[in-house]
Amino acid sequence: MPLVRHTRTVEVDISVKFKAPGVRGEGMRIGELAQRTGVSERSLRYYGQQGLLLAERTAGGHRDYAESAVDRVIRIQELFAAGIRSAKIAQLLPCMRDSDGGPSETATPQLITDLATERARVDRMIKDLIRSRETLDEVIDAASGRRESIATP
């Protein structure tokens, strides 16, 4: 039986980029982001799980964050400090610009209503804190005055 050879022409378009060993892309790793924002790596991972913070993955599986992630993390921290839950933050973040925290055009009427409710809650918390501070001031004043009267014969 004669030997039959099949041939086929295949065109391959391959784009390969080589980097020097140890050189990464333009992003930053989780440790650098943690250091630059003062937020723990654990919190940054949580933000990612909640859909609040996105990261690319390197070939080795490491998180690689864009420069804009610094502003995003700071914004997330501000919103958490205001007592806003992560689910609400996830709804809010797409409506905010990372660079300055200003609004984008994507806010829905329901989100605006929800945010007004959150703001009212924060206002109530501020009033409660002011009342607590006033009470502490009264106690401090009373205790300071009592110490002076006890010390004087």
Side-chain angles (χ1 to χ4, degrees), residues 88 91-92 107-121:
K88 187 59 66 184
Q91 292 175 340
L92 175 61
T108 65
Q110 181 60 48
L111 181 60
I112 292 168
T113 300
D114 292 349
L115 291 175
T117 301
E118 288 293 330
R119 187 181 192 292
R121 184 187 58 75

Side-chain angles (χ1 to χ4, degrees), residues 5 7 10 14 25 30 42 56 58 67 75 78 85-86 104 106-107 122 128 136 139:
R5 293 190 178 173
T7 61
V10 177
I14 298 175
I30 194 168
R42 182 178 182 204
E56 297 291 323
T58 65
E67 183 65 28
R75 193 79 51 235
E78 291 170 346
R85 298 178 337 266
S86 61
S104 71
T106 60
V122 169
D128 290 344
L136 285 172
V139 171

Side-chain angles (χ1 to χ4, degrees), residues 10-11 20 32 44 68 93 106 114-116 121 132 136 140 143 145:
V10 177
E11 291 184 29
E32 181 182 348
L44 295 174
S68 61
L93 284 175
T106 60
D114 292 349
L115 291 175
R121 184 187 58 75
S132 295
L136 285 172
I140 290 168

Side-chain angles (χ1 to χ4, degrees), residues 59-143:
H62 296 282
R63 290 172 179 85
D64 197 35
Y65 296 94
E67 183 65 28
S68 61
V70 173
D71 290 329
R72 171 62 58 110
V73 170
I74 291 168
R75 193 79 51 235
I76 292 167
Q77 286 288 292
E78 291 170 346
L79 295 169
F80 272 129
I84 299 174
R85 298 178 337 266
S86 61
K88 187 59 66 184
I89 293 172
Q91 292 175 340
L92 175 61
L93 284 175
C95 302
M96 297 175 74
R97 293 187 306 263
D98 282 332
S99 58
D100 63 3
S104 71
E105 295 75 31
T106 60
T108 65
Q110 181 60 48
L111 181 60
I112 292 168
T113 300
D114 292 349
L115 291 175
T117 301
E118 288 293 330
R119 187 181 192 292
R121 184 187 58 75
V122 169
D123 284 342
R124 284 190 305 276
M125 288 173 57
I126 290 170
K127 287 177 185 175
D128 290 344
L129 287 170
I130 289 171
R131 258 194 317 272
S132 295
R133 183 182 65 196
E134 290 169 351
T135 301
L136 285 172
D137 287 343
E138 290 172 7
V139 171
I140 290 168
D141 289 344

